[in-house]
Amino acid sequence: YIHQMAATAQVKVNFPKQIKESREKIRDRFKRSHEALQVRENILLSRVDEIEKEYNSKTQEMNKLVEALNKEMKQCEENLSDNKLTDVTEIVRTAIDEKIRELIADTDTSIEFEWDNLFETGIEQLGSIKLNGETMISPTIIFPPHVKPVVPDYKTKQLPTAYCCKKSSEQKSPGELNYACGIAIHYKTGNIYIADLGSHCVQVFSYNGEYLFMFSEMMNQPVGICISHNKVFVTQLSGHCINMYELEGKLIKSVGSEGNRRAQFNYPLGLDVSDRNNNIYVCDCYNHRIQILTEELKYHSMLGIDLLKYPRDVKVTRDRVLVLDGSDPCMFVFNSDHVLTNRLITRGVGKQTRNACRFDIDREYNIIMSDY
């Protein structure tokens, strides 16, 4: 009993000491953890400062670049106003030639420029740059290096033979067209996609007019056609729907049915894709409206309610939406917020059209209209 009492007394004596040691250990650990966190915080703050300095430096570089580009653009505008067109093209051609030759002056690289005459006015555009005999650079957006652009003779108003396709009452062989209604060009390959309504297919030709292939999956009188982000969008007149294909012709998706509700159509005709948001504008002819779909062919909104009668074709620029209406016919012009800003009467004789059905817009924002 005496031994037990002694042991108990010993424990009671040591307990406060153990508590004190534990507290000291906890304080020590907390202090070390606090110091470690402080070190990490300092490291992160220094990294943030470095990133901020780097961002400011890049921003200054970009501002300098933008300023330099603005100066170049202003200089080009002055050249355009002070020189003839042929003189300007020669200035540009010489500047590019001298700049690139300066870059490769101390190397063994051989360089060859290839220029394409695109228009009767004599405008020349750089088609490709060959380094050591191999095509390396193609600054041209519309025509890739392997494409040799051929254009109509504007004096005789005749198309070159490369564009001529046979017409047939019944499609008997590839390359024969039976009521071609829509056309689109893929800007990277230069391939021409033609919506052949009578043959219920889309036929594809090279830019030189050579037949390549065709596709017809779920086609029912294709009319309108456009290409965006390597996808081909086709309106089906009697199918009352919009089909989305790969460039090779594989069907990805089909949306729509006959009706007047959202994402329903009543004889859809022309269509176009907006470069701003990739939305698809579709002429819903007998529903008297333009339906706007997303790039995934989901309903987005409508345009032209109580204004349009029989919209035939539509084109979308960065700041305008132009709609060709077949009632008069006339052209409705909307701004980017879809507010009507102008209405052009196109029907007439002489300089006016008699039955416009399709139109397009060139680089200088001229409207080119098909009047059948």
Side-chain angles (χ1 to χ4, degrees):
Y1 177 76
I2 293 173
H3 285 294
Q4 290 178 354
M5 292 297 292
T8 302
Q10 183 67 28
V11 170
K12 290 181 179 180
V13 171
N14 293 334
F15 186 69
K17 185 179 179 181
Q18 292 176 354
I19 292 176
K20 184 178 180 181
E21 291 178 353
S22 297
R23 285 179 177 174
E24 290 177 354
K25 289 181 180 179
I26 291 172
R27 287 195 186 97
D28 184 56
R29 289 182 181 178
F30 179 78
K31 182 179 179 182
R32 284 185 290 172
S33 299
H34 181 72
E35 291 175 352
L37 289 174
Q38 189 67 37
V39 171
R40 292 182 181 180
E41 182 182 3
N42 293 335
I43 293 174
L44 289 174
L45 289 175
S46 63
R47 180 56 182 159
V48 169
D49 291 338
E50 290 177 1
I51 293 174
E52 186 176 1
K53 291 179 181 179
E54 184 178 355
Y55 172 78
N56 292 333
S57 175
K58 293 293 184 182
T59 303
Q60 292 176 359
E61 291 179 4
M62 289 298 295
N63 291 336
K64 290 180 180 179
L65 179 60
V66 171
E67 185 179 353
L69 288 174
N70 289 333
K71 289 182 179 179
E72 290 291 337
M73 290 178 63
K74 186 176 181 180
Q75 184 65 36
C76 287
E77 291 176 356
E78 293 176 356
N79 290 337
L80 285 171
S81 61
D82 297 337
N83 297 277
K84 295 181 179 179
L85 185 62
T86 53
D87 295 335
V88 173
T89 56
E90 185 63 29
I91 291 172
V92 174
R93 182 173 178 174
T94 304
I96 294 175
D97 187 287
E98 291 179 352
K99 185 63 177 178
I100 296 181
R101 294 189 187 279
E102 179 183 345
L103 293 174
I104 64 169
D106 297 331
T107 68
D108 297 330
T109 304
S110 63
I111 188 166
E112 176 186 351
F113 294 94
E114 184 177 331
W115 296 84
D116 298 320
N117 290 321
L118 298 183
F119 303 101
E120 63 164 356
T121 54
I123 298 176
E124 291 184 316
Q125 182 169 340
L126 185 60
S128 63
I129 299 174
K130 293 183 178 180
L131 299 178
N132 295 328
E134 181 180 358
T135 301
M136 299 295 292
I137 305 172
S138 179
T140 305
I141 297 176
I142 300 300
F143 304 110
H146 60 278
V147 171
K148 294 293 183 182
V150 286
V151 296
D153 185 340
Y154 292 100
K155 293 181 179 178
T156 61
K157 298 183 180 180
Q158 296 293 322
L159 289 173
T161 55
Y163 279 84
C164 296
C165 300
K166 296 180 180 179
K167 181 179 179 182
S168 173
S169 57
E170 295 181 0
Q171 185 190 352
K172 297 181 181 180
S173 62
E176 292 184 350
L177 299 175
N178 185 13
Y179 210 130
C181 286
I183 184 170
I185 300 176
H186 185 239
Y187 75 97
K188 287 186 178 180
T189 62
N191 290 343
I192 304 171
Y193 290 68
I194 299 178
D196 190 351
L197 181 142
S199 299
H200 306 282
C201 68
V202 170
Q203 298 202 50
V204 184
F205 299 81
S206 71
Y207 207 87
N208 293 324
E210 178 185 357
Y211 172 80
L212 299 178
F213 62 93
M214 61 171 285
F215 54 94
S216 58
E217 186 177 0
M218 287 189 65
M219 292 278 186
N220 191 353
Q221 293 188 327
V223 180
I225 184 170
C226 67
I227 301 174
S228 176
H229 291 83
N230 294 325
K231 298 292 186 295
V232 183
F233 300 91
V234 184
T235 57
Q236 311 294 318
L237 183 65
S238 296
H240 307 285
C241 63
I242 312 297
N243 292 355
M244 178 168 61
Y245 298 88
E246 295 179 354
L247 291 176
E248 296 76 17
K250 181 180 179 181
L251 179 66
I252 300 174
K253 193 175 185 180
S254 181
V255 171
S257 60
E258 186 174 5
N260 56 10
R261 296 183 178 181
R262 294 179 175 181
Q264 288 187 327
F265 302 93
N266 192 356
Y267 295 103
L269 295 178
L271 76 167
D272 197 18
V273 178
S274 170
D275 292 333
R276 291 196 308 149
N277 49 30
N278 298 326
N279 285 341
I280 303 165
Y281 290 66
V282 183
C283 291
D284 192 359
C285 184
Y286 283 90
N287 282 330
H288 320 293
R289 64 191 181 184
I290 299 292
Q291 285 208 63
I292 304 173
L293 309 178
T294 67
E295 57 184 333
E296 299 299 327
L297 296 185
K298 295 181 180 180
Y299 174 81
H300 181 275
S301 58
M302 295 184 188
L303 171 65
I305 302 297
D306 299 328
L307 284 174
L308 303 176
K309 293 184 178 180
Y310 300 102
R312 292 179 174 180
D313 203 7
V314 58
K315 289 294 178 286
V316 186
T317 67
R318 292 184 177 180
D319 56 353
R320 290 182 179 87
V321 179
L322 291 84
V323 181
L324 178 63
D325 195 290
S327 57
D328 290 327
C330 62
M331 180 84 68
F332 289 90
V333 182
F334 301 85
N335 62 18
S336 57
D337 296 323
H338 297 167
V339 177
L340 182 66
T341 59
N342 203 351
R343 183 174 181 268
L344 309 174
I345 302 297
T346 61
R347 186 175 180 83
V349 294
K351 293 184 178 180
Q352 292 181 310
T353 63
R354 304 189 65 174
N355 204 348
C357 60
R358 292 287 184 272
F359 76 100
D360 209 336
I361 303 173
D362 67 9
R363 296 180 183 180
E364 299 177 354
Y365 293 94
N366 297 316
I367 299 175
I368 305 170
M369 197 168 295
S370 171
D371 182 13
Y372 76 92

